Amino acid sequence: MVQAVSDRIAIILVNYKGASDTIECLESIRELNLPAGGAAVYVVENASPDDSLERLREWLHQARTSPGDGDTSADIRGTHGEIRVFLLRAEINRGFAAGCNLGLGGAYRDPSICYFWLLNNDTVVDPAAALELLACSRKHEDRSICGSTLLYYDDSRVVQAAAGAQYLPLIGRSRHVFKRKQFAEIARDTSPSFDYIIGASMFFSRSVLDTAGYLPERYFLYVEEADWCARARRCGISLDWARGSLVLHKEGRSTGADARFQKLSDDAFYYVSRNNLLFLWQRSRLFVPTALAYCLLQALSYRLKGDRGKLDIVFRAYRDFWRLRKQTETLRRPSQNAIAETAAAVKSSG
């Protein structure tokens, strides 16, 4: 196991049809207060069918202070020093976790990187966000996964989540901690317990990645962080809230959900339904029948509101859950072989 010997951070962003959001996020990263070791940013362009790759290349070209490896990497000037940005391109879109894993694999090859920050591309970060996360990790001797205070992008006074969520196995859904509370209300609240840290902002050390391995890719979208954190917790890794790490999140932008996740797109509803059933089959099989019933009730509720398509989608989710339920995913930890596989899976964008 490689122990942390510096405070250099790798920030991983996954872009899918969201170049404008990614660029806004990158601009906020330029304002970050950084540790002495600095930071590197790995932007994974996840095979978007639009002009995202060209727009990200153009931004990198305009922002760079010194050229790097063609159009795939460059130094950009941040408020507190140079930040190296790497643009990776996945040949196919294999989902959010797979995109994160490509970025993690690329960053892991750099032995100076000792911390990893998985950050949604539809976020804007406060300048103190990274240092607060670093302090949180060190408080637990770098054996924790730390999350930020997520605030709504359209109203930063309102909390989306205080780092994480609690899982409700009876219905196969999650409840974000302090969701929709006023930020001022939770200033003195003690840190609650979490079942997982929300994937919009997850910070952890190299030793955590060595222990817990890469994110599970079977889900494609949603629930992967719940599964990964459950695995990490079984290995003795704690979950914590870096309350001073503030991140504005647009929530649901890339999946078609509305700004407050009140109405799910068809794709989002499918993956939320199917993946929670898969997660329960693996972790709490007793609750699968009640979760099946809850999915159906949700679909019927949509139908009453005029959305007739959700009923067909829930039955498709049932069918695919039943087909996939016995499939397991081999735990992949960073290693020389895994790094070689990651490098082979990333096609140069040059």
Side-chain angles (χ1 to χ4, degrees), residues 91 163 293 322 345:
E91 293 189 48
W322 195 251

Side-chain angles (χ1 to χ4, degrees), residues 11-14 25 96-97 99-101 104 116-123 125 133 145-148 150 160-165 174 176 194-204 215-216 221-229 239-240 247-249 251-252 254:
I11 305 172
I12 315 295
L13 306 177
V14 177
C25 182
F96 175 72
C100 289
N101 289 340
L104 288 170
F116 305 88
W117 185 8
L118 298 182
L119 184 66
N120 268 24
N121 72 310
D122 59 347
T123 60
V125 296
L133 287 164
I145 302 169
C146 299
S148 303
L150 300 175
Q160 179 199 337
S174 302
H176 288 187
F194 308 105
D195 291 316
Y196 66 89
I197 299 299
I198 293 166
S201 177
M202 290 199 301
F203 186 97
F204 48 91
L215 274 65
L221 184 66
Y222 298 125
V223 188
E224 54 272 298
E225 71 263 53
D227 191 319
W228 188 68
C229 286
L239 309 179
D240 203 0
V247 173
L248 305 182
H249 186 207
E251 192 179 37
S254 62

